[in-house]
Amino acid sequence: MSETAGTVFVGDSITASGRWDEWFPEDRTRNLGVGGDTTDAVIARLDEVVALQPDTIVLLIGTNDLAWRRSAEHIVRNIETILVTLRKALPGAQLLVQSVMPREAAYADTIKDVNRHLWQFASTVRAQYLDLWPVLAGPDGAIDPDCSDDSLHLTDRGYEAWLSELRGALETLHDVPPTSRPILLPKEHMRHRH
């Protein structure tokens, strides 16, 4: 019998460092976070995700693309490709795409641009969108220093902030059919872009 998973977490080192079994003990989790991964790298290993036949896929990817000076367009196009590929291969799975997390303030405009496109695109592939910007970003658009020591990786406080949003999003996701409306968490800050 092939190995299956309930909830698969796909991403880079931020996902890889998550204690998903501990945080979601009922969900038969699998951690497919790989340190240093870019959107291109995730596309290259989507077969691994599909092979697990998960009920739910939680995606967080894109911040390492910024370090490689990839454009917002490149990141958005690749994440859209990931979501389309997963939706075709796993038509019954629940998909949750998370906003790219803030990092140094210099990246804020690019990240906001990426996230706005992901928010708009998610519902076209029956994916839910979870906006993490409000709980992680400081007023200047940089990641809150309480949440990260290096403006990229999360501290324990950063994971707590992420989980405070992710738990509710997954509960909502598991209680609704995949064709329902996306979780629209980006409220005021999406309308008042600076």
Side-chain angles (χ1 to χ4, degrees), residues 150-172:
D150 62 0
S151 297
L152 176 60
H153 301 97
L154 298 180
T155 59
D156 287 346
R157 173 72 193 93
Y159 278 103
E160 287 169 16
W162 181 12
L163 283 169
S164 72
E165 300 299 313
L166 182 57
R167 286 186 193 283
L170 283 174
E171 285 171 12
T172 301

Side-chain angles (χ1 to χ4, degrees), residues 11-188:
D12 50 38
S13 60
I14 300 171
T15 295
S17 297
R19 301 191 303 275
W20 305 113
D21 285 344
E22 176 186 327
W23 295 332
F24 297 98
E26 307 299 312
D27 286 358
R28 297 188 351 267
T29 64
R30 281 294 295 274
N31 189 339
L32 295 186
V34 174
D37 254 15
T38 61
T39 56
D40 291 288
V42 169
I43 289 172
R45 62 185 179 95
L46 283 177
D47 286 351
E48 181 185 357
V49 181
V50 173
L52 292 171
Q53 294 290 299
D55 302 319
T56 303
I57 299 163
V58 180
L59 177 68
L60 175 70
I61 198 67
T63 198
N64 288 321
D65 292 65
L66 296 165
W68 288 98
R69 300 286 185 253
R70 300 284 191 251
S71 66
E73 182 185 30
H74 176 92
I75 298 168
V76 169
R77 187 171 63 241
N78 276 358
I79 294 176
E80 289 179 354
T81 296
I82 291 166
L83 293 172
V84 167
T85 302
L86 290 173
R87 175 50 70 220
K88 284 181 179 170
L90 300 165
Q94 302 278 14
L95 300 180
L96 179 67
V97 58
Q98 299 168 99
S99 61
V100 176
M101 293 178 175
R103 43 186 304 173
E104 297 91 349
Y107 292 106
D109 287 344
T110 302
I111 294 172
K112 286 178 181 177
D113 194 25
V114 168
N115 290 342
R116 190 176 69 254
H117 283 92
L118 295 181
W119 172 53
Q120 292 168 339
F121 181 79
S123 61
T124 68
V125 288
R126 304 196 326 275
Q128 314 286 358
Y129 175 81
L130 176 60
D131 184 38
L132 299 171
W133 196 266
V135 293
L136 293 174
D140 60 350
I143 191 165
D144 184 327
D146 286 342
C147 294
S148 178
D149 290 332
D150 62 0
S151 297
L152 176 60
H153 301 97
L154 298 180
T155 59
D156 287 346
R157 173 72 193 93
Y159 278 103
E160 287 169 16
W162 181 12
L163 283 169
S164 72
E165 300 299 313
L166 182 57
R167 286 186 193 283
L170 283 174
E171 285 171 12
T172 301
L173 193 67
H174 292 152
D175 285 343
V176 295
T179 52
S180 68
R181 292 185 306 122
I183 300 166
L184 295 179
L185 292 181
K187 296 187 179 81
E188 292 307 308

